[in-house]
Amino acid sequence: MKQGAYENALKNLEKAKKADPDYASTYNVLGLLYQKLGNNKKSEENFKHALNLNKHDSSTLNNYSNFLCLQNRIEEAEKTFLKAAANPLYDSPEIAITNAGLCLSNNQRISDAEKYFRQALQLNPRVPQALIKMCKISFDQQKVLTARDYLQRYHKVASYTPKSLWLGIQIEQKLGDKDTVSSYVLQLKNNYPESQEAKLLDI
């Protein structure tokens, strides 16, 4: 499935179903596969079947929550993400909490999203998506030094991206650090010359 060989993936999953029709993880992956194929009805059917077999499986809850969010069923998605995070056997609840934040952030519920990002970072201070989102939120709130701190923490745990470099440029311009601005600009031009962010440099 990761290689885009969806037909082969489907064949193997059907074999897995025949081998053990009560194995919840098979239906979880089928849900993901049908989601990629654009068949939302079958995707939801399989996620729900997986949860009928194992209602506490955080992987399925997390995947189903992402599905709900993409269907604009935001309140359902939020509740399901939190259910995934609440499972005491889930070894990375910060992922589900970060995903809840991303879902709400993408739907303009910024203050609620910020609450979840902070909660995720309390559990694990090294969650890249939570760090970069908190950087952007802080910058938008004119908390420029806080934004810089989040960005520096992000760059310690994740690779530079066009978005993170562009944020860095904006932050350091506000703070008047011309050397760091130049460094970010150089990295953006050299490493991501075709990115939208690099094109903004020429405007």
Side-chain angles (χ1 to χ4, degrees), residues 19-193:
D20 185 351
D22 295 325
Y23 186 51
S25 293
T26 300
Y27 300 95
N28 178 23
V29 182
L30 273 166
L32 287 172
L33 179 58
Y34 279 117
Q35 187 177 342
K36 287 181 180 292
L37 293 171
N39 191 330
N40 293 331
K41 184 181 177 183
K42 282 198 170 185
S43 179
E44 184 160 16
E45 284 175 359
N46 279 282
F47 284 135
K48 284 184 172 179
H49 191 61
L51 291 170
N52 283 336
L53 292 169
N54 184 357
K55 64 182 179 179
H56 299 298
D57 182 62
S58 291
S59 174
T60 304
L61 287 166
N62 199 25
N63 290 333
Y64 184 42
S65 303
N66 280 320
F67 170 85
L68 292 170
C69 187
L70 290 170
Q71 304 305 308
N72 290 316
R73 292 156 64 181
I74 310 306
E75 289 185 8
E76 285 180 79
E78 183 180 3
K79 287 177 183 175
T80 312
F81 277 128
L82 296 182
K83 189 175 178 181
N87 181 0
L89 298 178
Y90 190 24
D91 58 2
S92 49
E94 68 275 11
I95 300 302
I97 294 169
T98 297
N99 286 339
L102 291 170
C103 179
L104 297 184
S105 174
N106 291 337
N107 287 276
Q108 307 311 312
R109 286 176 54 185
I110 304 302
S111 60
D112 291 328
E114 180 179 358
K115 176 186 73 175
Y116 287 128
F117 294 139
R118 290 185 183 278
Q119 189 178 337
L121 291 169
Q122 285 177 347
L123 292 170
N124 180 354
R126 296 168 60 84
V127 182
Q129 287 178 305
L131 288 168
I132 198 67
K133 281 293 187 179
M134 281 305 300
C135 173
K136 182 68 167 69
I137 289 170
S138 300
F139 182 77
D140 290 343
Q141 294 172 345
Q142 307 298 316
K143 300 174 183 175
V144 187
L145 283 171
T146 303
R148 174 197 263 173
D149 179 62
Y150 278 118
L151 188 64
Q152 288 174 342
R153 288 169 60 188
Y154 170 82
H155 282 150
K156 286 180 181 176
V157 298
S159 300
Y160 288 89
T161 67
K163 281 186 170 60
S164 74
L165 289 166
W166 179 244
L167 259 177
I169 290 166
Q170 293 175 291
I171 290 166
E172 298 306 331
Q173 282 176 336
K174 288 272 189 184
L175 294 172
D177 188 335
K178 292 180 181 179
D179 289 342
T180 307
V181 169
S182 297
S183 172
Y184 283 143
V185 166
L186 193 63
Q187 290 186 72
L188 184 54
K189 283 184 173 180
N190 287 344
N191 297 329
Y192 307 101

